[in-house]
Amino acid sequence: SQMADLKSLAKHMFEAYLKNFNMNKTKARAILTGKANIPPFVIHDMETLRLAEENLVSKQAVNGIQNKEAEVRIFQRCQCTSVETVRELTEFAKCIPEFINLDLNDQVTLLKYGVYEAMFAMLASIMNKDGLLVAYGNGFMTREFLKSLRKPFNEIMEPKFEFAMKFNALELDDSDLSLFVAAIILSGDRPGLVNVSQIEQMQETIVQALRLHLHSNHPDAIYLFPKLLQKMADLRQLVTEHAQLVQKIKKTEADTFLHPLLQEIYRDMY
Amino acid sequence: LKEKHKILHRLLQDSTSPVDL
């Protein structure tokens, strides 16, 4: 009966994942492999960036950035997507059994430290070696274009591509990712947690469900579970470096603005 | 901690709460 409970938990988290995230790996892979009805518009230089801004992103227009330099405009739009994903992750976290019964301060702490790790894990779903989907899958921005931006903006995405290529080699699907993301959120060693043992117990249950699910979903990948645990450590490093870069941009780039929600998350993070 | 994370706190309490982009 314990195995049935874990299977039912995996199903529940998968449903919560599909319900709360606008984009998922199945949708993204269909677009990236040319199976979508309309192929994404490719952004590979300043001209195609302008065209995309005029035609693709009117719904997510950001006030006052039209006349700023391209690097700043891209940075601001990345923030919009991040804010939206934090909102989706918060709703997803609330679907984890017992999460909403945790001390409210602990809920805040788990999200503060977990959202960027979860976000970079899910970002891999919309990436391939040549670029990533933008504007809800309607655009594809090339990796080379991002590398061609001026410093320090050209340093933002490359580490995420490097992580994504290794992560995507594990060939996880959305059902695996739903449990992986839940396990990231329920990390009992985040600074300042009050009820550590309660969170550790919750994570243990999710991790058991993940191990069982991987066993049936990837019967031939015998080292997948330990590899995924290692990825959790890699994601922490990736977020630490990202947070340092954002602080640097905030200090040196007078024209950039950090969204209040992201400011809250980055403040006193590491 | 809640005081320092007002928007996160609001998102946790109320899913319909708007977050301006």
Side-chain angles (χ1 to χ4, degrees):
Chain A
S1 84
Q2 201 202 350
M3 269 174 74
D5 287 349
L6 293 173
K7 277 187 183 177
S8 149
L9 175 61
K11 186 168 176 277
H12 169 76
M13 293 321 305
F14 184 33
E15 283 166 0
Y17 177 96
L18 293 177
K19 183 179 143 214
N20 288 297
F21 297 111
N22 174 279
M23 181 54 78
N24 58 50
K25 193 165 179 178
T26 306
K27 282 190 204 172
R29 293 293 125 182
I31 302 169
L32 289 169
T33 54
K35 289 178 189 127
N37 291 336
I38 309 165
F41 178 79
V42 179
I43 302 160
H44 61 93
D45 59 11
M46 291 299 171
E47 179 57 25
T48 45
L49 174 69
R50 267 289 178 203
L51 282 169
E53 286 176 323
E54 281 163 22
N55 299 304
L56 291 186
V57 289
S58 55
K59 281 179 283 180
Q60 52 173 161
V62 184
N63 289 336
I65 66 162
Q66 291 87 346
N67 298 323
K68 296 198 173 183
E69 94 182 289
E71 281 80 353
V72 174
R73 299 199 306 272
I74 295 170
F75 184 68
Q76 300 302 122
R77 290 198 193 280
C78 278
Q79 286 194 51
C80 290
T81 310
S82 304
V83 167
E84 192 51 41
T85 312
V86 172
R87 189 217 302 268
E88 291 176 341
L89 275 162
T90 307
E91 290 308 305
F92 173 75
K94 288 187 209 172
C95 297
I96 302 173
E98 296 299 314
F99 184 88
I100 53 168
N101 298 328
L102 288 170
D103 177 285
L104 199 49
N105 280 306
D106 281 355
Q107 292 183 38
V108 169
T109 301
L110 292 178
L111 285 174
K112 178 186 178 76
Y113 288 94
V115 287
Y116 268 95
E117 292 174 21
M119 212 184 297
F120 293 152
M122 295 192 298
L123 188 62
S125 297
I126 60 164
M127 286 179 157
N128 65 21
K129 69 174 175 39
D130 300 318
L132 83 161
L133 293 175
V134 294
Y136 303 104
N138 294 311
F140 179 82
M141 191 173 279
T142 68
R143 188 173 177 177
E144 281 305 312
F145 176 58
L146 287 161
K147 273 163 93 172
S148 77
L149 301 176
R150 78 165 170 84
K151 266 192 163 186
F153 296 96
N154 60 346
E155 295 165 10
I156 300 175
M157 293 310 289
E158 196 51 28
K160 283 74 177 177
F161 276 107
E162 284 165 18
F163 171 80
M165 292 313 100
K166 290 179 269 174
F167 192 66
N168 286 346
L170 301 179
E171 299 188 316
L172 300 185
D173 65 18
D174 288 310
S175 63
D176 309 320
L177 284 166
S178 67
L179 289 162
F180 183 64
V181 168
I184 288 173
I185 293 169
L186 294 174
S187 296
D189 58 351
R190 304 300 192 191
L193 284 176
V194 181
N195 297 315
V196 171
S197 64
Q198 190 185 1
I199 294 160
E200 281 175 344
Q201 267 178 20
M202 288 165 64
Q203 191 193 40
E204 179 57 26
T205 308
I206 289 282
V207 167
Q208 277 184 39
L210 174 63
R211 182 161 33 193
L212 184 71
H213 183 72
L214 292 175
H215 192 68
S216 65
N217 203 26
H218 304 262
D220 300 326
I222 46 171
Y223 297 118
L224 187 53
F225 179 68
K227 281 180 188 169
L228 264 184
L229 296 184
Q230 178 56 46
K231 292 298 170 202
M232 289 172 86
D234 296 347
L235 281 163
R236 280 192 189 202
Q237 185 57 32
L238 194 62
V239 171
T240 307
E241 286 163 15
H242 178 80
Q244 285 164 355
L245 184 56
V246 170
Q247 294 305 334
K248 182 174 146 189
I249 290 173
K250 202 177 141 199
K251 270 187 198 157
T252 58
E253 300 290 331
D255 229 13
T256 57
F257 166 83
L258 200 55
H259 189 284
L261 173 59
L262 306 182
Q263 278 187 42
E264 278 185 14
I265 293 170
Y266 287 127
R267 193 181 301 134
D268 308 322
M269 191 191 209
Y270 290 118
Chain B
L1 192 77
K2 295 188 293 196
E3 291 307 306
K4 285 186 179 174
H5 298 83
K6 286 197 167 77
I7 308 175
L8 261 186
H9 182 228
R10 208 174 71 212
L11 286 176
L12 279 162
Q13 295 290 84
D14 176 11
S15 57
T16 58
S17 176
V19 179
D20 293 335
L21 297 180

